[in-house]
Amino acid sequence: MPKEAYMAGCAATANGAKLARVEVITSYPIRPYTGIMMELSRMVAAGELDAEFVHGEGEHGQVSVTQGASAAGARAYTGSSGVGVAYGMEVYSPISGGRYPCQMAIADRAYDPPGDFGSEHTDVMSVNNQGWILGWAETPEESMDNCIIYYKIGEDPKVMLPQWQVQDGYFVSHIPNKVSIPDQAQVDEYLPPYNCPHALNPQNPTNHGPQIFPDQGPAIDLQRAQAFLNTPKVVEQAIADYNKAIGRNYSAWLEEYKTDGAEFVFFLMGAHCRTARFAVDHLRKKGAKVGMVKLRFVRPWPTAQVCEVLSKFKAVGVIESQTCYGGAMKGGELQHEVRASLYDSPKQPAVCSFMAGLGGEVISLEEFYNMAKILEKNAKQGKVDQYVYWVGFDNGI
Amino acid sequence: MAQVPTQELELLKNLRGVDQKEYYVPGHRTCAGCGPALCYKLVSKAAGADSIFLGPTGCMYVANCSYMCTPFSYAWTHCQITNGGGVASGVESAYNVLIRKGKYKGKLPNIVVMAGDGGAIDIGLQAASAMMYRGHDVLFVMYDNESYANTGIQTSPMTPYGGKTTFTPPGKMVPEGKKLFPKDAPQLFIGGHPALHYVATASIGYPVDLINKCRKGLNYKGPAFVHIHCPCPKGWLYDCKDTIRVAKMAVETGFWTNYEWENGEYTYQHIPKTYKPVKEYMKGQERFNHLNEEHIAKMQAFITAKVKAPGKPIEVPVLGPREA
Ligand SMILES: Cc1ncc(C[n+]2csc(CCOP(=O)(O)OP(=O)(O)O)c2C)c(N)n1
Ligand code: SF4
Ligand SMILES: [Mg+2]
């Protein structure tokens, strides 16, 4: 029987890892993700989970141990936040290139300077092109579910890619919510034990990662790109199967909230979706034609779905909790992806970004209402006045 | 938690006992006379087929393997120059859990990291130290060619005083080239890793001794560190036919000392009847050609002090390839 509990994102995610029967766990402390490892170490010590628990000497070491464990054929798990995500950087590409489907949980956090514990998408978004599957959870339950679903996707023989399973620091990782924990038997049926076809194994020796000559590079890179092209079908199947097995209702790529008849929408991911839902409810009551579109995966980026869904509206406000200094639109990275997705669409909404929630600041309902005013104007005039607004600083918001 | 079953490797009495089978096979592009390549061959014979080797970036990665043409007949993986100890820890942890759960039927493979001096005690030190601290059952071999060789012979913490490298060229302002004395690698590990029970130094000039030390290290449950002196003709600038001669001369002059440390005690140290002057060792190598008498005296003083360490000396002759 599924169990109902109140828990914050860290504990819920640890329960996801336990249900996924992770076999090698590697820790290193950094807020806010630390709670995941505290809970997993307790489970291992109490005999509730049979796994090796390795204390990494830093994130670079953590990710390295995880690479070795996954290469040797174990289901490997690690995690981090903020500067820790950056410190592991060297090892991300060897893992995706080695096609080791391990998982790294991230409770996102701002980079330094200044030292700041707050949630921000900057850490993960600055490493997002290393060949890992990547998506955000809005709630503790979604984070737990994603942990299980991501292993299912990553370990598929057509995919074989590592995954970053992200939740927003504090907003998700530290605020208790109702979580329905599935039965171990249900999860076991959904996610069979990991069976690595190319594990480092003396009984069937293989050599991994030898030096290549430049003319061998393109073919090898193409294979990793191909794995990403194979991923969408696997994602859709994995989520449909999970919904059925566990009784959830996730959309694969984009969740539309009150978009029927909407003329303008907020486009975002993670915890701020919850505030956006309240804002939409309130504004709808007042007659505004507003909705919300929630993004579930950043890699692979759902180009066709973003194009199809966002083309329906007259204006889109991309909420960016990360910065992309000096980039094409001078705001965050999401607007680049959104505009690229819409490029071939015959119907172009007016797209602007709102720089909001940086440093972990709460995006208030008031701020959502102010953003909505700008979007309403953009929808009416069919164009934007500004590509980027810094919420709290720019005219009227 | 219950210990997983491990392998027990036999120690050799002489060269005739060495496994005739090659595990490190042709397919590499190392320089003629490459000391580290010979070291790889010997460590591979020590460990055998039931092994997983890890190769951090360095000559023994780059010059050893081309895609689809590697010399490793056993399971092998590249790792970064930074993380040999980390990836090996993960492999060992995985086998512990897989054997415990019955998903792998067999004994714990011999897990061997083959790190260069840079990959072991400079950029790779953090990962190596963490692996030894945590007590993973891994043999960490440092093949020491006394430079960052693969990148074109740059100074590393193992480059000797007075060594010319492409980052320590001698010049008017820096007549000796390299001014610092090297790190004492084994002491870095002996000094602070309670789970570490076996540390040894070896030389490719003494293959039986080298193989036995690697096997002892592998037989110990938990981490082991073997530091192996590996002359490099390209970096040290001597004739490639002289690799073994240079290796032996290092031992005969006291430039290199073969010893063993087990469970907190020095149990073996090779001491020649007399030490030849270190000048004899240096003169065949062009990397030292620019040094003057004063520099050589400084080197001799360093070596004279060094051969007194470590700990309890025991005089046991080490068999060379011809004497065995
Ligand atoms: C993070 C990182 N920095 C630098 C390098 C460049 N690099 C490649 S091989 C090498 C030399 C390695 O020296 P050592 O470990 O002593 O092995 P050797 O080449 O001497 O056999 C270096 C510095 C690298 N591969 N990775
Ligand atoms: S440079 Fe030295 S270590 Fe590298 S392959 Fe040549 S001889 Fe061997
Ligand atoms: Mg070297």
Side-chain angles (χ1 to χ4, degrees), chain A residues 32 36 41 44 49 100 103 139 142 155-156 178 208 238 246 279 292 320 328 340 396:
Chain A
I36 300 176
S41 64
V44 171
L49 171 64
Y100 307 131
Q103 189 172 125
T139 63
E142 188 176 0
E155 291 174 4
D156 188 288
K178 201 158 101 187
H208 295 201
I246 311 297
M292 180 198 82
E320 312 253 26

Side-chain angles (χ1 to χ4, degrees), chain A residues 63-221:
Chain A
V63 185
S64 302
V65 172
T66 305
Q67 173 182 338
S70 189
R75 188 171 281 154
Y77 190 73
T78 191
S80 195
S81 294
V83 289
V85 177
Y87 194 56
M89 178 69 180
E90 186 196 21
V91 198
Y92 298 143
S93 179
I95 288 179
S96 64
R99 311 293 292 281
Y100 307 131
C102 53
Q103 189 172 125
M104 182 167 182
I106 293 173
D108 59 27
R109 173 174 169 176
Y111 272 166
D112 295 353
D116 178 3
F117 292 129
S119 161
E120 220 182 68
H121 297 170
T122 316
D123 49 3
V124 199
M125 288 301 277
S126 68
V127 299
N128 66 16
N129 288 325
Q130 297 300 310
W132 289 51
I133 289 164
L134 163 63
W136 261 259
E138 182 186 345
T139 63
E141 183 174 278
E142 188 176 0
S143 182
M144 172 189 68
D145 291 337
N146 281 355
C147 171
I148 300 162
I149 295 168
Y150 283 18
Y151 273 120
K152 178 82 172 180
I153 298 165
E155 291 174 4
D156 188 288
K158 293 186 284 301
V159 176
M160 294 300 282
L161 288 170
Q163 318 102 43
W164 279 313
Q165 193 283 108
V166 192
Q167 60 187 299
D168 282 319
Y170 302 102
F171 301 131
V172 179
S173 69
H174 280 63
I175 299 180
N177 269 250
K178 201 158 101 187
V179 176
S180 160
I181 303 171
D183 244 7
Q184 183 68 59
Q186 288 175 301
V187 176
D188 285 346
E189 199 169 318
Y190 173 77
L191 182 69
Y194 173 47
N195 200 340
C196 178
H198 63 294
L200 285 170
N201 181 346
Q203 295 165 5
N204 178 25
T206 47
N207 285 185
H208 295 201
Q211 186 84 7
I212 61 160
F213 293 106
D215 61 344
Q216 295 165 322
I220 292 170
D221 276 346

Side-chain angles (χ1 to χ4, degrees), chain A residues 128-349:
Chain A
N128 66 16
N129 288 325
Q130 297 300 310
W132 289 51
I133 289 164
L134 163 63
W136 261 259
E138 182 186 345
T139 63
E141 183 174 278
E142 188 176 0
S143 182
M144 172 189 68
D145 291 337
N146 281 355
C147 171
I148 300 162
I149 295 168
Y150 283 18
Y151 273 120
K152 178 82 172 180
I153 298 165
E155 291 174 4
D156 188 288
K158 293 186 284 301
V159 176
M160 294 300 282
L161 288 170
Q163 318 102 43
W164 279 313
Q165 193 283 108
V166 192
Q167 60 187 299
D168 282 319
Y170 302 102
F171 301 131
V172 179
S173 69
H174 280 63
I175 299 180
N177 269 250
K178 201 158 101 187
V179 176
S180 160
I181 303 171
D183 244 7
Q184 183 68 59
Q186 288 175 301
V187 176
D188 285 346
E189 199 169 318
Y190 173 77
L191 182 69
Y194 173 47
N195 200 340
C196 178
H198 63 294
L200 285 170
N201 181 346
Q203 295 165 5
N204 178 25
T206 47
N207 285 185
H208 295 201
Q211 186 84 7
I212 61 160
F213 293 106
D215 61 344
Q216 295 165 322
I220 292 170
D221 276 346
L222 179 63
Q223 287 185 341
R224 203 171 352 175
Q226 191 68 47
F228 262 98
L229 296 180
N230 295 340
T231 306
K233 272 209 178 100
V234 177
V235 167
E236 285 160 16
Q237 192 64 50
I239 290 172
D241 290 351
Y242 192 81
N243 285 343
K244 205 166 145 212
I246 311 297
R248 302 284 201 246
N249 192 23
Y250 293 115
S251 35
W253 306 106
L254 300 170
E255 184 201 328
E256 295 183 55
Y257 183 71
K258 300 204 171 163
T259 55
D260 280 349
E263 291 188 349
F264 56 94
V265 288
F266 301 115
F267 179 82
L268 71 167
M269 60 209 185
H272 297 299
C273 290
R274 302 190 87 182
T275 326
R277 288 177 204 271
F278 281 101
V280 168
D281 290 349
H282 174 79
L283 291 166
R284 278 267 168 175
K285 272 190 212 133
K286 301 202 142 184
K289 294 181 171 165
V290 60
M292 180 198 82
V293 177
K294 166 179 153 181
L295 176 68
R296 293 209 347 118
F297 283 90
V298 171
R299 292 289 178 272
W301 178 270
T303 315
Q305 290 80 0
V306 169
C307 180
E308 191 194 316
V309 169
L310 295 190
S311 292
K312 296 190 297 191
F313 311 111
K314 291 184 176 156
V316 174
V318 181
I319 296 177
E320 312 253 26
S321 301
Q322 35 67 43
T323 44
C324 179
Y325 301 112
M329 305 314 296
K330 313 288 181 277
E333 267 206 71
L334 283 183
Q335 192 184 156
H336 302 159
E337 304 267 0
V338 165
R339 281 184 178 272
S341 306
L342 286 165
Y343 188 79
D344 287 331
S345 171
K347 284 183 68 202
Q348 294 281 339

Side-chain angles (χ1 to χ4, degrees), chain B residues 200-220:
Chain B
T201 60
S203 157
I204 56 160
Y206 305 88
V208 174
D209 181 64
L210 185 156
I211 290 174
N212 279 340
K213 282 170 175 163
C214 289
R215 288 197 165 171
K216 274 175 102 166
L218 285 164
N219 285 346
Y220 265 96

